Amino acid sequence: MQQLYVIGWPIGHSKSPIIHNHWIKKYGLDANYAQKAIAPQDIAKFISGLTPQNCWGFNITIPHKQAVFANINNRQNLAKILGATNTISWQDNQLYASNTDGYGFNTNLSELSDWSAVDQPVIIYGAGGAARAILQSMQDAGAKHLYIYNRTTARAEKLLADLKIEANILNNKAELQACLATAGLFINTTSLGMNGETELDIDLSAMPKTGIVSDIVYTPLQTGLLKQAELQGLVSVDGLGMLLHQAAKAFEIWFGILPKVDQQLRDLVLNDS
Ligand code: ATR
């Protein structure tokens, strides 16, 4: 049997086992996907003990995406650019680090909206790990006018320098609001709006009516940001699809099958508490 994991610290209640075990069953594979708590100091030990027999592959969640990347020498180019990995597989009997987060974001966005790399500005809110993958995926998709806002501007500057992306920095809330007036797409890449967190503080009324608002948060599915977007008549794209599509790409890496992300799976994940 092929054994797979998602590792994190704490691992909490990850949705990944439900998603992958659903597809494993659907495609009749002899495999199992479980979650595993690995403390930061145990990462190197965990990795050195792996064989294709005891682990066919694994996903990485917070806070290990960079630490695992640092421990694996064979890397997909995109993972190299991002300096982070969320999916590990075997290639020629060696561990191989990939990153499917940006794919997940873009695929979901294209499915739930008619976004294509338009000429209008794209605003990315946040400068953490998720922002990295999303900014890179927007650039790869051909977005021409990229803007980034972060509470800590220096972190946004570092992100652009690391990725070597020529995006514009919005230095404060006033610049952010002014930029919204011409924006085609606004993306929240932070955890603001998640259950138990404060809401993202922004006024979307200035955004053009053709604007799209996207949130990576999916608990709740409809964040305060997305509620506001709907009230303004804007297209809103929730965060669940990013999770499902990054998982689909990982599944393809491990099993050679790109599974369909459908409503049945969305309901399965949404009903899991
Ligand atoms: P992840 O890897 O999930 O992206 P992260 O690297 O810790 O997580 O990044 C979190 C992001 O959320 C950052 O952009 C952070 O802003 P700072 O760089 O200023 O810390 C942002 N963030 C978290 N809490 C916030 C808050 N209360 N207000 C505004 N931004 C916040």
Side-chain angles (χ1 to χ4, degrees), residues 82-151:
L82 297 174
T85 176
N86 74 330
T87 304
I88 305 298
S89 56
W90 291 96
Q91 246 189 26
D92 301 329
N93 233 25
Q94 295 193 61
L95 290 169
Y96 183 75
S98 309
N99 197 308
T100 70
D101 285 334
Y103 167 89
F105 179 81
N106 262 353
T107 307
N108 182 46
L109 182 66
S110 311
E111 243 181 50
L112 298 188
S113 75
D114 60 1
W115 187 82
S116 57
V118 282
D119 287 335
Q120 291 159 312
V122 173
I123 303 177
I124 289 168
Y125 187 107
R132 245 164 217 263
I134 290 171
L135 183 64
Q136 184 66 45
S137 78
M138 286 287 109
Q139 157 129 324
D140 293 346
K144 294 179 202 76
H145 305 288
L146 290 165
Y147 290 80
I148 181 163
Y149 168 84
N150 194 45
R151 176 178 60 178

Side-chain angles (χ1 to χ4, degrees), residues 13 22 32 41 69 144 159 175 207 222 238 240 257:
H13 183 71
H22 169 78
N32 178 58
Q41 64 271 20
F69 172 82
K144 294 179 202 76
L159 190 156
E175 288 186 18
M207 204 172 175
Q222 204 191 32
D238 68 60
L240 180 59
I257 302 165

Side-chain angles (χ1 to χ4, degrees), residues 62 125-131 150-152 155 189-192 197-198:
I62 292 168
Y125 187 107
N150 194 45
R151 176 178 60 178
T152 314
R155 211 167 161 208
T189 70
T190 74
S191 55
L192 290 173
E197 299 253 0
T198 49

